[in-house]
Amino acid sequence: MAKQVDTTYGNALFELAVEENIVDSLYEEANQLITILKDNEELIKLLNHPQIEKSEKKNLIERIFGKRVSDEITGLMIMVVEKGHITSMIDIFEFFVKQVKKAKNIGVASVTSAISLSDSQKAAIEKRLLQTTHYTSMEIDYKVDKSIIGGLVIRIEDRVVDSSIKTKLDNM
């Protein structure tokens, strides 16, 4: 059920953004809201509290976000409250962000190495990923995990390229 909620509302927001030609601005707002909502778990708990009337919750959203985000985002948040899907709000915005990245052909990768990589190494990895994928740009999250001993583990969506020494040793 939760998956249907985030895809339904996320797709609706995406279609509206495309129709109104406001994809970039809603994309920025959605990213900011994801951060805000994740950093303020108490707000989600408050909006989900069963003893608080929906009208109070909608007024709270208007007061907090009304002047700071677009009417489209505020309206979506109010609709989510009305329908009782508050716990899915972050998932909805994350789905919308994924749809925008998909439409703009932006790849998201996670690169794990045993040591911190230099800027030139990161640039070389990004260049190689762009050459070997269909993406026009990449967002890469770099992580350090000493347990892989050496090499890299690269994840793009559900694909994993594991050239770590740890995996090679485990496979021997």
Side-chain angles (χ1 to χ4, degrees):
M1 177 70 177
K3 190 69 171 168
Q4 290 176 341
V5 170
D6 64 350
T7 57
T8 301
Y9 287 96
N11 275 329
L13 183 60
F14 180 72
E15 289 172 12
L16 175 68
V18 170
E19 186 178 302
E20 299 289 324
N21 199 25
I22 52 175
V23 173
D24 292 335
S25 62
L26 292 187
Y27 174 76
E28 292 300 322
E29 288 181 15
N31 275 319
Q32 292 171 356
L33 281 170
I34 290 167
T35 302
I36 290 167
L37 294 172
K38 283 183 175 180
D39 289 347
N40 297 291
E41 292 176 20
E42 295 299 317
L43 177 59
I44 295 290
K45 288 179 184 174
L46 179 67
L47 291 172
N48 202 34
H49 199 284
Q51 293 179 336
I52 299 175
E53 296 289 324
K54 286 184 180 181
S55 60
E56 289 181 55
K57 293 174 185 179
K58 291 189 286 189
N59 287 336
L60 182 63
I61 287 174
E62 279 288 340
R63 286 197 314 264
I64 294 173
F65 299 106
K67 302 275 189 226
R68 293 178 178 89
V69 297
S70 65
D71 292 342
E72 292 82 5
I73 294 285
T74 305
L76 175 74
M77 293 175 78
I78 288 171
M79 188 184 318
V80 168
V81 167
E82 285 176 355
K83 300 293 183 181
H85 298 301
I86 296 142
T87 56
S88 298
M89 198 163 318
I90 293 171
D91 294 333
I92 292 166
F93 289 124
E94 286 177 340
F95 184 84
F96 170 74
V97 166
K98 284 180 188 173
Q99 290 298 97
V100 172
K101 287 179 182 178
K102 189 176 180 182
K104 290 181 171 265
N105 212 13
I106 300 170
V108 179
S110 170
V111 176
T112 305
S113 59
I115 59 170
S116 293
L117 300 173
S118 69
D119 289 340
S120 63
Q121 289 170 318
K122 290 178 182 179
I125 290 169
E126 182 175 359
K127 180 180 177 185
R128 184 72 177 138
L129 289 176
L130 289 172
Q131 289 172 346
T132 57
T133 64
H134 64 279
Y135 298 114
T136 55
S137 65
M138 295 293 297
E139 289 181 3
I140 304 174
D141 178 35
Y142 292 96
K143 300 175 185 169
V144 175
D145 181 358
K146 294 180 189 302
S147 72
I148 69 168
I149 304 170
L152 297 172
V153 178
I154 301 172
R155 297 179 199 286
I156 301 175
E157 293 178 10
D158 59 350
R159 295 176 291 171
V160 178
V161 176
D162 189 343
S163 65
S164 68
I165 293 174
K166 179 185 185 314
T167 298
K168 289 178 182 176
L169 289 172
D170 288 345
N171 290 336
M172 289 176 87

